[in-house]
Amino acid sequence: MSFFLIALISSSTIIWVFQAVNFLDIMIEDGRDYMVYINYSLLNFPKILSKLYPFVLFFSLFYVLSKYELNNELIIFWNFGVDKFQFVNFILKVSLFLFFIQIIFTSFVVPKSQNVARSFLRDSNVNFLGNFIKPKKFNDTIKGVTIYSERKDENGYLYNLFIKKDISRENFEITYAKKGIFTQANSNPLLILFDGETISNKNRKITNFSFSKSDFLLGNLKSNTITVKKTQELSTLDILQCIVHLYKIDFDLLKNKNLQINNCREKNLINILKEFYKRLIIPIYIPILMLIPYFLILSSKENSNYSKLKLLTFLTGVMTIIFSETTIRFISFELIKNSLLLVSPFLIFVFLYLLFFFKLTFKFKKI
């Protein structure tokens, strides 16, 4: 168990570091505050943890069991009178515990952390405006504002600026300036423009005026980053209530007459069902992935077919992981197809358990 925890935390941390580097765009391109970046990055760690959980669990068990068999530690274990099938039952109880941990992560921790992370973007403003202006590129990070600059010097001055600000659907302002620089005025971002002209289109009337110096206010401007609450950020209770509502299921415990859930509509039903499957069904493969490595106890390294058994066990585990993660693509509107996907992990589990039962209880021919 300690090896599994070390491997899980280590691998998750490595992936989180790489992902955190990608999130630097929140500051560099969106001009967000440093604390928004830090909080958003940290709150994505539970999602990485839950994704790697089944992979690391299987590979850890496979590695440990292979090592124990190589060092003859399993033989010592059996010689002390430990019954293999009772041992499998013990592992099954442990797997149920790990299954519930994964359910807690996928159903509660991850959706909550994703929603909180998104709330940091929803509630934050664009602060470091000078960061996202790239020369010779139309920068539209700020909602309703497009800024173009030909070049930028070492002191932060922008040259040959073009700015378009959308006031409404038909009204807009276009400003040209030879020079400009970002600054702060009373903690509000400000773009000071020099030697330019502003053309305004208001109610189909075009006006223009020239200036030697002008302040372009940027306070309270929002980023174009998507801040709408996504399906994956909904609580599991909302997901279940939405399914009951859309399918018109007569289940009083989850019925809500005043249902007001984002994205709870028929057009989004597939995504709702996929989210339900990802949170509550895929974790059922955890006990299966814990049972598969124990195929290795059906034989010993002295057996000529042990290498084949080892390879078959490894490939079975990998294929099970791939199968569990890819079946989500087959979620559809058809209830029968969805039902088959829902019962498939239970059927696989029953098959594996019966296989161990007959092999270890009735002493069938060893592999």
Side-chain angles (χ1 to χ4, degrees):
M1 185 62 71
S2 59
F3 180 81
F4 162 64
L5 292 175
I6 293 171
L8 178 62
I9 294 173
S10 300
S11 57
S12 298
T13 302
I14 292 171
I15 293 178
W16 175 79
V17 169
F18 282 104
Q19 196 171 73
V21 173
N22 293 330
F23 288 153
L24 282 171
D25 289 345
I26 294 174
M27 285 194 307
I28 297 173
E29 295 189 2
D30 278 11
R32 302 284 181 174
D33 188 87
Y34 291 102
M35 289 307 299
V36 174
Y37 162 72
I38 292 172
N39 289 322
Y40 187 81
S41 299
L42 288 174
L43 287 166
N44 274 274
F45 189 75
K47 182 179 179 180
I48 298 172
L49 207 65
S50 67
K51 281 288 186 181
L52 291 178
Y53 193 94
F55 295 88
V56 177
L57 180 62
F58 169 74
F59 290 121
S60 297
L61 283 173
F62 182 83
Y63 170 78
V64 170
L65 284 172
S66 298
K67 184 180 177 182
Y68 283 177
E69 178 62 30
L70 185 64
N71 297 333
N72 295 320
E73 294 180 53
L74 286 179
I75 295 176
I76 297 172
F77 201 56
W78 310 137
N79 287 339
F80 269 95
V82 177
D83 184 78
K84 290 185 177 182
F85 187 67
Q86 289 181 358
F87 183 70
V88 169
N89 285 330
F90 171 76
I91 295 301
L92 182 59
K93 293 176 182 178
V94 176
S95 71
L96 292 177
F97 172 73
L98 295 177
F99 158 73
F100 283 115
I101 290 179
Q102 179 72 333
I103 282 287
I104 291 171
F105 264 91
T106 58
S107 300
F108 302 103
V109 178
V110 173
K112 182 65 177 179
S113 63
Q114 290 293 291
N115 185 37
V116 174
R118 184 68 59 174
S119 69
F120 279 106
L121 296 182
R122 284 195 291 264
D123 300 335
S124 64
N125 294 323
V126 181
N127 296 326
F128 301 103
L129 292 165
N131 292 344
F132 69 83
I133 300 299
K134 294 180 175 63
K136 296 183 179 180
K137 181 180 178 181
F138 287 93
N139 303 272
D140 58 354
T141 301
I142 302 177
K143 189 174 182 179
V145 177
T146 302
I147 302 176
Y148 175 86
S149 173
E150 190 173 278
R151 67 184 179 91
K152 184 179 181 180
D153 65 19
E154 297 177 353
N155 297 320
Y157 280 96
L158 302 165
Y159 294 90
N160 294 329
L161 281 156
F162 169 90
I163 304 171
K164 182 183 177 184
K165 182 179 180 180
D166 294 323
I167 301 172
S168 63
R169 180 175 293 183
E170 297 181 354
N171 301 329
F172 60 86
E173 288 182 354
I174 296 177
T175 300
Y176 168 79
K178 291 183 178 180
K179 186 178 178 182
I181 188 170
F182 284 103
T183 185
Q184 294 280 333
N186 297 323
S187 299
N188 292 318
L190 183 70
L191 177 58
I192 302 177
L193 302 173
F194 302 93
D195 301 323
E197 182 179 5
T198 296
I199 302 173
S200 301
N201 180 14
K202 293 182 180 180
N203 300 322
R204 297 184 179 181
K205 292 182 180 181
I206 298 177
T207 59
N208 69 300
F209 66 91
S210 301
F211 58 84
S212 58
K213 181 180 179 181
S214 177
D215 294 340
F216 190 83
L217 299 175
L218 295 166
N220 298 320
L221 292 177
K222 300 293 183 181
S223 170
N224 272 328
T225 303
I226 298 174
T227 56
V228 177
K229 197 170 186 178
K230 296 182 178 180
T231 303
Q232 64 185 22
E233 296 160 12
L234 295 175
S235 69
T236 302
L237 179 60
D238 286 344
I239 294 290
L240 293 173
Q241 287 181 340
C242 183
I243 292 173
V244 169
H245 172 72
L246 293 177
Y247 275 108
K248 296 179 174 55
I249 300 173
D250 188 17
F251 190 55
D252 294 335
L253 188 62
L254 293 174
K255 272 191 174 182
N256 188 349
K257 294 181 180 179
N258 300 318
L259 190 67
Q260 293 181 342
I261 300 174
N262 291 335
N263 300 322
C264 185
R265 55 185 184 274
E266 290 187 7
K267 291 183 179 179
N268 195 47
L269 179 58
I270 291 295
N271 292 327
I272 293 289
L273 293 174
K274 285 182 177 181
E275 198 62 32
F276 166 80
Y277 185 84
K278 181 173 67 176
R279 296 184 189 186
L280 299 174
I281 303 302
I282 291 181
I284 299 174
Y285 284 91
I286 293 295
I288 297 173
L289 290 172
M290 282 198 69
L291 283 178
I292 290 174
Y294 287 91
F295 282 155
L296 297 177
I297 71 173
L298 298 177
S299 183
S300 64
K301 65 179 182 179
E302 284 76 18
N303 193 306
S304 59
N305 291 324
Y306 181 74
S307 296
K308 294 180 180 179
L309 174 64
K310 192 174 179 181
L311 178 61
L312 179 63
T313 301
F314 180 80
L315 292 177
T316 302
V318 172
M319 292 303 296
T320 302
I321 292 172
I322 295 173
F323 179 77
S324 65
E325 294 294 330
T326 55
T327 48
I328 194 172
R329 298 183 180 181
F330 300 105
I331 295 292
S332 64
F333 291 104
E334 297 182 28
L335 192 58
I336 296 177
K337 288 185 178 180
N338 293 339
S339 299
L340 290 174
L341 292 175
L342 294 180
V343 300
S344 59
F346 296 98
L347 294 176
I348 295 172
F349 173 79
V350 170
F351 171 76
L352 289 178
Y353 187 78
L354 290 176
L355 180 63
F356 276 107
F357 177 76
F358 286 112
K359 283 286 185 180
L360 299 176
T361 304
F362 292 97
K363 309 294 183 183
F364 278 8
K365 185 179 179 180
K366 294 183 179 180
I367 295 177

